[in-house]
Amino acid sequence: MDLAQKFDNAREALKCIDMHTTGEPTRIVYSGFPQLHGTLLEQRDQAKTKYDNVRKRIMLEPRGHFDMYGAIIITDTELIKSGEAHIGTLFTHNGGFSTMCGHATIALGRFLVDTHDLGVFPKRDELKVDPKTQTIDVNIHAPCGLIRVTVPTTVDGRESDPSRPVTFVSTPAYAAAISLTIPIPAEKRWVELAGRDSITLDISYGGAFYALIDARELGFDGLSKIDLSRIGDVVKDLKAYLMTHPDVVEALQHPEDQRLSFLYSIMVVDQGIGSRPPGVSGAETGLCFFAENSVDRSPTGSCVTARMALAHAKGLRPCNQSWAYNSLVSNHFDTGAFTASILEEGILLQGGNGVDRQAVLVRVEGKAYYTGALSFIVEKDDVTSESGFTMAECSG
């Protein structure tokens, strides 16, 4: 048996396609993840409690790294059964499972159009190409709800067109807290605060909750030149504190489900800089620390949704105005910014978990590219890689 056969025939082989969106990886797991059952949020719970070792195997060393990101294909959910969605997904990272991810959605859109394997995507043949726009619409069920994705294609619709951006419209987004003043206890203050005893931040929801803080509010001189290690240390400690603060906890309560009600990320923003593609009214930059303080290389699509909702709530962003959002990577290469606009306002979110919210629908677009295809196995007695590891675990 040659090596290719060994990998193909391995009983628990995990088969993946790797892509990137503005440098941020998406490892798409299309075969080999243990079968899950129930609603998608129930499947997310099962993946967290029963198969976290598999998540670590995919994300962490030696197959991945601390900042790896993934999307697991799910072929059976309640929205697939109802006909609202074509496919489902679970988003995964170094700390567990998220509820929404924009950069991974952009990558998934291309992959789902390009695959014609009905074992991977049973409803692929239901996708229809629009001959006028040369696009295909794909509805993806994510833990936060339904994501409507539009993928540019070749004329015959058989393949995606990487020269044009993928767009998505996520679930309704809203500003959860505006200009929230958070006191910082003396023992938790950092040197860059320069004697201040509080900070002001916003909290907004774009499929996941983000605390949005201006870099200068943290005591840093914008994001044009930044010490990533230093600001990362500050954000890590700050996030842990914010997650216990009563005003923040209250703002994080999503009306529809407690399982959506957690602080996913801190986004440090700089509205004074940003690569500006043609056709937009303005540009800005953000540095996103998510999960276990992973750094997003992309502009962070779900946070772009949240930032648009926040700007709209502040009266800064009307419907149909196009705005560009950058990461450090898109600024460096002067390409890869995500652009966004608000499609609809006045959407009422109601439920039993929190106060009613006025929300908007946001359209986000960006480009993703393929980087490789992989099959992962675990050989007998390979304790080191069975669940994956981080160097921090080994050194602590």
Side-chain angles (χ1 to χ4, degrees):
M1 179 184 295
D2 64 21
L3 280 176
Q5 288 178 311
K6 178 177 181 177
F7 278 73
D8 287 342
N9 297 336
R11 182 173 60 87
E12 295 182 346
L14 288 156
K15 297 184 179 181
C16 313
I17 294 291
D18 271 11
M19 303 183 70
H20 84 90
T21 312
T22 319
E24 179 67 10
T26 301
R27 178 159 287 167
I28 299 172
V29 183
Y30 66 86
S31 178
F33 197 86
Q35 188 169 0
L36 305 170
H37 304 281
T39 67
L40 187 59
L41 281 173
E42 289 170 346
Q43 292 185 59
R44 179 174 175 266
D45 291 340
Q46 289 172 31
K48 289 168 62 178
T49 57
K50 295 180 64 176
Y51 302 114
D52 202 46
N53 65 314
V54 183
R55 187 267 306 173
K56 292 178 179 177
R57 187 185 308 166
I58 300 164
M59 292 290 98
L60 305 181
E61 295 186 54
R63 299 171 187 85
H65 53 79
F66 186 78
D67 294 316
M68 179 55 70
Y69 201 92
I72 301 165
I73 297 292
I74 304 294
T75 59
D76 184 21
T77 77
E78 67 272 27
L79 293 190
I80 296 173
K81 286 186 173 72
S82 70
E84 296 173 76
H86 297 109
I87 196 74
T89 187
L90 293 177
F91 298 120
T92 182
H93 47 64
N94 66 6
F97 295 85
S98 182
T99 53
M100 174 56 191
C101 180
H103 91 269
T105 294
I106 291 168
L108 270 174
R110 285 198 63 199
F111 170 78
L112 292 169
V113 165
D114 290 338
T115 185
H116 293 269
D117 185 340
L118 298 184
V120 172
F121 186 7
K123 292 185 176 289
R124 173 61 181 85
D125 289 349
E126 296 183 13
L127 303 184
K128 304 298 181 185
V129 61
D130 183 329
K132 292 184 179 179
T133 61
Q134 292 182 30
T135 59
I136 285 178
D137 292 335
V138 188
N139 293 337
I140 300 175
H141 186 188
C144 67
L146 189 67
I147 313 171
R148 304 180 187 276
V149 186
T150 300
V151 183
T153 70
T154 54
V155 175
D156 60 7
R158 295 284 298 175
E159 297 180 4
S160 63
D161 177 2
S163 70
R164 293 184 287 153
V166 174
T167 67
F168 71 85
V169 179
S170 187
T171 50
Y174 65 90
I178 296 176
S179 298
L180 189 62
T181 298
I182 302 294
I184 306 297
E187 69 275 11
K188 296 186 180 296
R189 293 171 197 161
W190 52 96
V191 64
E192 287 83 1
L193 273 182
R196 289 187 295 129
D197 60 4
S198 67
I199 60 172
T200 301
L201 55 83
D202 304 303
I203 297 175
S204 195
Y205 177 81
F209 280 100
Y210 293 84
L212 297 126
I213 310 172
D214 190 280
R216 292 166 181 82
E217 188 69 18
L218 293 177
F220 294 89
D221 188 21
L223 294 176
S224 59
K225 292 183 179 180
I226 195 74
D227 183 338
L228 272 177
S229 177
R230 176 59 191 149
I231 197 171
D233 289 343
V234 169
V235 167
K236 183 178 180 179
D237 292 342
L238 177 61
K239 184 182 178 185
Y241 171 61
L242 292 179
M243 290 169 65
T244 67
H245 194 282
D247 292 341
V248 175
V249 172
E250 181 181 359
L252 295 176
Q253 300 310 305
H254 192 281
E256 296 176 340
D257 201 305
Q258 174 61 30
R259 290 169 292 186
L260 301 175
S261 304
F262 63 95
L263 181 60
Y264 177 57
S265 164
I266 289 181
M267 171 67 83
V268 183
V269 299
D270 185 340
Q271 297 180 341
I273 62 171
S275 175
R276 187 166 175 170
V280 300
S281 298
E284 57 192 73
T285 296
L287 176 58
C288 178
F289 294 88
F290 68 93
E292 299 298 320
N293 225 40
S294 184
V295 179
D296 198 338
R297 278 69 171 158
S298 84
T300 313
S302 49
C303 194
V304 166
T305 300
R307 290 162 78 181
M308 287 292 286
L310 178 65
H312 182 74
K314 290 182 174 183
L316 302 174
R317 200 80 70 243
C319 287
N320 300 315
Q321 183 186 60
S322 185
W323 205 262
Y325 292 88
N326 285 275
S327 65
L328 301 187
V329 174
S330 69
N331 282 340
H332 177 78
F333 289 100
D334 196 24
T335 187
F338 292 176
T339 60
S341 58
I342 295 171
L343 299 183
E344 186 179 344
E345 60 186 349
I347 300 168
L348 182 63
L349 281 182
Q350 294 178 300
N353 187 61
V355 298
D356 296 351
R357 298 289 190 173
Q358 289 290 328
V360 296
L361 287 181
V362 180
R363 178 180 182 267
V364 180
E365 68 176 37
K367 294 181 178 180
Y369 300 93
Y370 290 99
T371 56
L374 314 99
S375 290
F376 294 133
I377 63 170
V378 179
E379 291 193 297
K380 184 181 178 181
D381 301 326
D382 183 5
V383 176
T384 304
S385 85
E386 197 281 333
S387 292
F389 65 90
T390 67
M391 285 301 295
E393 294 170 337
C394 297
S395 61

